[in-house]
Amino acid sequence: KAYIGCPQVSLLGQRVDGLGMSTPEEKLRAIADLQFPDTLQKLETYLGMTGDLRHIIPWYAQKAQPLQIRKTALLRGSPLAGRPRQEWAKKTRYGHPTEEELQSFEILQNNFKTCADSKLVHWNDTRQAYIDIDASQQVGFGVVIYHTKENYDHKDPIKPPPAAETQPIMFL
C-alpha cells in the first residue's frame, strides 16, 4: 500500500510523519492506567502490549524482567498450547506480587506516563549517529541508537553528547 501526499499516517498503531514515529497518546494513556494483573492471562496480555512498545522504553527487557520471571514460574506445569493452555492462564491467579515485581510494574507504568511527548526520529545520514551498548551476563544486551538534535553542534565525535541534546532513533 502507498500513502502519497499525507502529512502523517497511522501504521501498525504508530503515527508516522516527517519528523519521526510516535505512539498515539491515547494508547500510552490506556496502558499507563492499567492495574496490576491478577491472573496469568492478564500478565501475559500486559507483557505483550508493553513488549510491542519496547522500542520507546529504554532498557525495557531489564525493567520487565521480574514480571517475565513470574510469568515463567506461573507457566510451569501448564498445558503446552491451544484451548487448555488458555483456560489454564485464565484460572491461574497471580498471587502476591513481590516488592521487586510491583516496582517493575510501577517503573514500566511511569515510563508510559512520561513517554507521551517522546518521539523516535527518522534516520538521517547527514547527521552524526551514536550507538550506546550496555551488556551484562544476567540481563544481556541493550542498545540505543540516536542522533544529536538538529541545531546542536557536537564538537567531539568520540565523546557522547549530553542526553538532553539527543534524539533516539531506536532502542533494542
Side-chain angles (χ1 to χ4, degrees), residues 100-133:
E100 189 178 25
E101 292 164 351
L102 289 170
Q103 187 178 15
S104 172
F105 181 79
E106 283 305 313
I107 288 170
L108 287 173
Q109 292 301 90
N110 287 334
N111 274 252
F112 284 107
K113 289 175 186 168
T114 59
C115 74
D117 61 345
S118 68
K119 179 178 270 221
L120 297 178
V121 298
H122 294 296
W123 173 263
N124 182 339
D125 61 2
T126 64
R127 293 168 58 193
Q128 179 69 38
Y130 296 87
I131 299 174
D132 285 348
I133 301 172

Short mmCIF file of all heavy atoms in Angstrom, two decimals, residues 100-133:
data_model
loop_
_atom_site.label_atom_id
_atom_site.label_comp_id
_atom_site.label_asym_id
_atom_site.label_seq_id
_atom_site.Cartn_x
_atom_site.Cartn_y
_atom_site.Cartn_z
N GLU A 100 9.79 -6.50 44.28
CA GLU A 100 10.50 -6.30 43.02
C GLU A 100 9.53 -6.31 41.82
O GLU A 100 9.68 -5.52 40.89
CB GLU A 100 11.56 -7.40 42.87
CG GLU A 100 12.51 -7.19 41.72
CD GLU A 100 13.58 -8.26 41.62
OE1 GLU A 100 13.36 -9.39 42.11
OE2 GLU A 100 14.62 -7.96 41.03
N GLU A 101 8.54 -7.19 41.85
CA GLU A 101 7.55 -7.25 40.77
C GLU A 101 6.68 -6.00 40.75
O GLU A 101 6.40 -5.44 39.69
CB GLU A 101 6.68 -8.50 40.92
CG GLU A 101 7.45 -9.78 40.67
CD GLU A 101 6.74 -11.02 41.18
OE1 GLU A 101 5.72 -10.91 41.89
OE2 GLU A 101 7.23 -12.12 40.86
N LEU A 102 6.26 -5.53 41.92
CA LEU A 102 5.48 -4.29 41.99
C LEU A 102 6.30 -3.10 41.50
O LEU A 102 5.79 -2.25 40.77
CB LEU A 102 5.01 -4.04 43.43
CG LEU A 102 3.92 -4.97 43.95
CD1 LEU A 102 3.72 -4.76 45.44
CD2 LEU A 102 2.61 -4.72 43.20
N GLN A 103 7.56 -3.08 41.88
CA GLN A 103 8.43 -1.99 41.44
C GLN A 103 8.63 -2.05 39.93
O GLN A 103 8.61 -1.01 39.26
CB GLN A 103 9.78 -2.09 42.16
CG GLN A 103 10.69 -0.93 41.89
CD GLN A 103 11.98 -1.03 42.67
OE1 GLN A 103 12.34 -2.07 43.21
NE2 GLN A 103 12.72 0.07 42.71
N SER A 104 8.80 -3.23 39.37
CA SER A 104 8.94 -3.39 37.92
C SER A 104 7.71 -2.84 37.21
O SER A 104 7.83 -2.10 36.22
CB SER A 104 9.14 -4.87 37.59
OG SER A 104 9.10 -5.09 36.21
N PHE A 105 6.52 -3.21 37.70
CA PHE A 105 5.27 -2.73 37.11
C PHE A 105 5.19 -1.21 37.18
O PHE A 105 4.85 -0.55 36.19
CB PHE A 105 4.08 -3.38 37.83
CG PHE A 105 2.75 -2.98 37.29
CD1 PHE A 105 2.25 -3.55 36.13
CD2 PHE A 105 1.98 -2.02 37.94
CE1 PHE A 105 1.02 -3.18 35.62
CE2 PHE A 105 0.74 -1.64 37.43
CZ PHE A 105 0.26 -2.23 36.27
N GLU A 106 5.51 -0.64 38.34
CA GLU A 106 5.43 0.82 38.51
C GLU A 106 6.42 1.55 37.60
O GLU A 106 6.10 2.59 37.03
CB GLU A 106 5.67 1.20 39.97
CG GLU A 106 4.48 0.95 40.85
CD GLU A 106 3.20 1.63 40.36
OE1 GLU A 106 3.25 2.83 40.00
OE2 GLU A 106 2.17 0.95 40.32
N ILE A 107 7.62 0.99 37.46
CA ILE A 107 8.62 1.60 36.58
C ILE A 107 8.11 1.62 35.14
O ILE A 107 8.19 2.64 34.45
CB ILE A 107 9.97 0.87 36.69
CG1 ILE A 107 10.62 1.18 38.03
CG2 ILE A 107 10.90 1.24 35.54
CD1 ILE A 107 11.84 0.33 38.35
N LEU A 108 7.56 0.50 34.70
CA LEU A 108 7.02 0.45 33.33
C LEU A 108 5.86 1.43 33.17
O LEU A 108 5.79 2.16 32.18
CB LEU A 108 6.57 -0.97 32.97
CG LEU A 108 7.69 -1.98 32.72
CD1 LEU A 108 7.12 -3.38 32.55
CD2 LEU A 108 8.52 -1.59 31.51
N GLN A 109 4.96 1.46 34.15
CA GLN A 109 3.81 2.36 34.08
C GLN A 109 4.28 3.82 34.01
O GLN A 109 3.75 4.61 33.24
CB GLN A 109 2.88 2.16 35.27
CG GLN A 109 2.17 0.82 35.27
CD GLN A 109 1.32 0.62 34.02
OE1 GLN A 109 1.79 0.12 33.01
NE2 GLN A 109 0.09 1.02 34.09
N ASN A 110 5.26 4.17 34.84
CA ASN A 110 5.78 5.55 34.82
C ASN A 110 6.44 5.88 33.49
O ASN A 110 6.33 7.01 33.02
CB ASN A 110 6.76 5.76 35.97
CG ASN A 110 6.06 5.84 37.30
OD1 ASN A 110 4.88 6.20 37.39
ND2 ASN A 110 6.76 5.49 38.37
N ASN A 111 7.09 4.90 32.88
CA ASN A 111 7.68 5.13 31.56
C ASN A 111 6.60 5.44 30.54
O ASN A 111 6.78 6.30 29.69
CB ASN A 111 8.49 3.91 31.11
CG ASN A 111 9.91 3.93 31.61
OD1 ASN A 111 10.84 4.13 30.86
ND2 ASN A 111 10.08 3.74 32.91
N PHE A 112 5.47 4.75 30.61
CA PHE A 112 4.39 5.01 29.66
C PHE A 112 3.71 6.35 29.95
O PHE A 112 3.20 6.99 29.04
CB PHE A 112 3.38 3.87 29.63
CG PHE A 112 3.88 2.68 28.88
CD1 PHE A 112 4.28 1.53 29.54
CD2 PHE A 112 4.01 2.72 27.50
CE1 PHE A 112 4.78 0.44 28.84
CE2 PHE A 112 4.51 1.64 26.80
CZ PHE A 112 4.89 0.50 27.47
N LYS A 113 3.71 6.78 31.20
CA LYS A 113 3.12 8.09 31.53
C LYS A 113 4.00 9.22 31.04
O LYS A 113 3.51 10.27 30.63
CB LYS A 113 2.94 8.21 33.05
CG LYS A 113 1.83 7.34 33.58
CD LYS A 113 1.77 7.40 35.09
CE LYS A 113 0.73 6.38 35.59
NZ LYS A 113 0.81 6.16 37.02
N THR A 114 5.32 9.03 31.10
CA THR A 114 6.23 10.12 30.76
C THR A 114 6.71 10.10 29.31
O THR A 114 7.34 11.05 28.87
CB THR A 114 7.47 10.10 31.67
OG1 THR A 114 8.13 8.84 31.53
CG2 THR A 114 7.08 10.31 33.12
N CYS A 115 6.44 9.03 28.56
CA CYS A 115 6.97 8.98 27.19
C CYS A 115 5.99 9.54 26.17
O CYS A 115 6.26 9.48 24.98
CB CYS A 115 7.38 7.56 26.81
SG CYS A 115 6.00 6.45 26.49
N ALA A 116 4.87 10.11 26.63
CA ALA A 116 3.87 10.63 25.69
C ALA A 116 4.45 11.70 24.77
O ALA A 116 4.04 11.82 23.63
CB ALA A 116 2.68 11.19 26.45
N ASP A 117 5.43 12.46 25.26
CA ASP A 117 6.00 13.50 24.42
C ASP A 117 7.28 13.07 23.71
O ASP A 117 7.89 13.84 23.01
CB ASP A 117 6.27 14.76 25.25
CG ASP A 117 7.25 14.52 26.37
OD1 ASP A 117 7.51 13.34 26.69
OD2 ASP A 117 7.74 15.50 26.95
N SER A 118 7.68 11.81 23.89
CA SER A 118 8.89 11.34 23.23
C SER A 118 8.56 10.83 21.83
O SER A 118 7.47 10.36 21.57
CB SER A 118 9.58 10.25 24.04
OG SER A 118 8.79 9.09 24.05
N LYS A 119 9.50 10.96 20.97
CA LYS A 119 9.30 10.56 19.59
C LYS A 119 10.60 9.97 19.08
O LYS A 119 11.67 10.50 19.34
CB LYS A 119 8.91 11.79 18.77
CG LYS A 119 8.71 11.53 17.30
CD LYS A 119 8.28 12.79 16.60
CE LYS A 119 6.80 12.84 16.65
NZ LYS A 119 6.14 13.28 15.46
N LEU A 120 10.50 8.86 18.38
CA LEU A 120 11.67 8.30 17.72
C LEU A 120 11.82 9.02 16.38
O LEU A 120 10.85 9.16 15.64
CB LEU A 120 11.49 6.80 17.49
CG LEU A 120 11.36 5.94 18.74
CD1 LEU A 120 11.14 4.49 18.35
CD2 LEU A 120 12.57 6.07 19.63
N VAL A 121 13.01 9.50 16.10
CA VAL A 121 13.22 10.26 14.87
C VAL A 121 13.64 9.32 13.74
O VAL A 121 14.12 8.22 13.99
CB VAL A 121 14.26 11.39 15.05
CG1 VAL A 121 13.80 12.39 16.07
CG2 VAL A 121 15.62 10.84 15.41
N HIS A 122 13.46 9.78 12.53
CA HIS A 122 13.90 9.01 11.36
C HIS A 122 15.42 9.10 11.24
O HIS A 122 16.03 10.09 11.61
CB HIS A 122 13.27 9.58 10.08
CG HIS A 122 11.79 9.43 10.02
ND1 HIS A 122 11.16 8.21 9.97
CD2 HIS A 122 10.81 10.36 9.99
CE1 HIS A 122 9.86 8.39 9.91
NE2 HIS A 122 9.62 9.68 9.91
N TRP A 123 15.99 8.06 10.69
CA TRP A 123 17.43 8.04 10.40
C TRP A 123 17.74 9.15 9.41
O TRP A 123 17.02 9.38 8.45
CB TRP A 123 17.81 6.69 9.81
CG TRP A 123 19.22 6.64 9.35
CD1 TRP A 123 19.67 6.82 8.08
CD2 TRP A 123 20.36 6.43 10.15
NE1 TRP A 123 21.03 6.71 8.03
CE2 TRP A 123 21.49 6.47 9.31
CE3 TRP A 123 20.56 6.21 11.51
CZ2 TRP A 123 22.78 6.30 9.77
CZ3 TRP A 123 21.85 6.03 11.97
CH2 TRP A 123 22.94 6.08 11.10
N ASN A 124 18.83 9.86 9.66
CA ASN A 124 19.26 10.93 8.77
C ASN A 124 20.76 10.76 8.57
O ASN A 124 21.54 11.01 9.48
CB ASN A 124 18.94 12.29 9.39
CG ASN A 124 19.33 13.44 8.49
OD1 ASN A 124 20.15 13.30 7.59
ND2 ASN A 124 18.73 14.59 8.73
N ASP A 125 21.17 10.33 7.40
CA ASP A 125 22.58 10.04 7.17
C ASP A 125 23.47 11.27 7.09
O ASP A 125 24.69 11.16 6.98
CB ASP A 125 22.79 9.13 5.96
CG ASP A 125 22.30 9.74 4.66
OD1 ASP A 125 21.84 10.89 4.67
OD2 ASP A 125 22.39 9.05 3.63
N THR A 126 22.91 12.47 7.15
CA THR A 126 23.72 13.69 7.16
C THR A 126 24.07 14.12 8.58
O THR A 126 24.85 15.03 8.76
CB THR A 126 22.99 14.85 6.44
OG1 THR A 126 21.81 15.17 7.16
CG2 THR A 126 22.66 14.47 5.01
N ARG A 127 23.47 13.48 9.57
CA ARG A 127 23.74 13.84 10.97
C ARG A 127 24.57 12.76 11.64
O ARG A 127 24.47 11.58 11.30
CB ARG A 127 22.41 14.02 11.71
CG ARG A 127 21.65 15.24 11.20
CD ARG A 127 20.25 15.31 11.68
NE ARG A 127 20.16 15.34 13.13
CZ ARG A 127 19.02 15.16 13.79
NH1 ARG A 127 17.91 14.95 13.14
NH2 ARG A 127 19.01 15.20 15.09
N GLN A 128 25.38 13.17 12.60
CA GLN A 128 26.21 12.22 13.36
C GLN A 128 25.31 11.27 14.14
O GLN A 128 24.39 11.71 14.83
CB GLN A 128 27.13 12.99 14.33
CG GLN A 128 28.01 12.12 15.18
CD GLN A 128 29.09 11.40 14.39
OE1 GLN A 128 29.66 11.97 13.47
NE2 GLN A 128 29.35 10.17 14.74
N ALA A 129 25.56 9.99 14.02
CA ALA A 129 24.80 8.99 14.76
C ALA A 129 25.69 8.36 15.83
O ALA A 129 26.91 8.27 15.67
CB ALA A 129 24.28 7.91 13.82
N TYR A 130 25.06 7.95 16.92
CA TYR A 130 25.78 7.31 18.02
C TYR A 130 25.06 6.03 18.40
O TYR A 130 23.85 5.92 18.25
CB TYR A 130 25.81 8.23 19.25
CG TYR A 130 26.57 9.51 19.01
CD1 TYR A 130 25.95 10.62 18.47
CD2 TYR A 130 27.92 9.59 19.33
CE1 TYR A 130 26.65 11.79 18.24
CE2 TYR A 130 28.63 10.76 19.10
CZ TYR A 130 27.99 11.85 18.57
OH TYR A 130 28.68 13.00 18.33
N ILE A 131 25.82 5.09 18.91
CA ILE A 131 25.26 3.84 19.41
C ILE A 131 25.83 3.62 20.80
O ILE A 131 27.05 3.58 20.97
CB ILE A 131 25.62 2.64 18.50
CG1 ILE A 131 25.07 2.86 17.09
CG2 ILE A 131 25.10 1.35 19.09
CD1 ILE A 131 25.50 1.81 16.09
N ASP A 132 24.96 3.51 21.79
CA ASP A 132 25.37 3.16 23.14
C ASP A 132 24.98 1.71 23.37
O ASP A 132 23.83 1.33 23.14
CB ASP A 132 24.66 4.03 24.19
CG ASP A 132 25.24 5.44 24.23
OD1 ASP A 132 26.30 5.67 23.64
OD2 ASP A 132 24.60 6.30 24.87
N ILE A 133 25.93 0.91 23.81
CA ILE A 133 25.70 -0.51 24.06
C ILE A 133 26.00 -0.80 25.51
O ILE A 133 27.01 -0.34 26.05
CB ILE A 133 26.58 -1.40 23.15
CG1 ILE A 133 26.30 -1.09 21.68
CG2 ILE A 133 26.36 -2.87 23.46
CD1 ILE A 133 27.24 -1.76 20.72
#
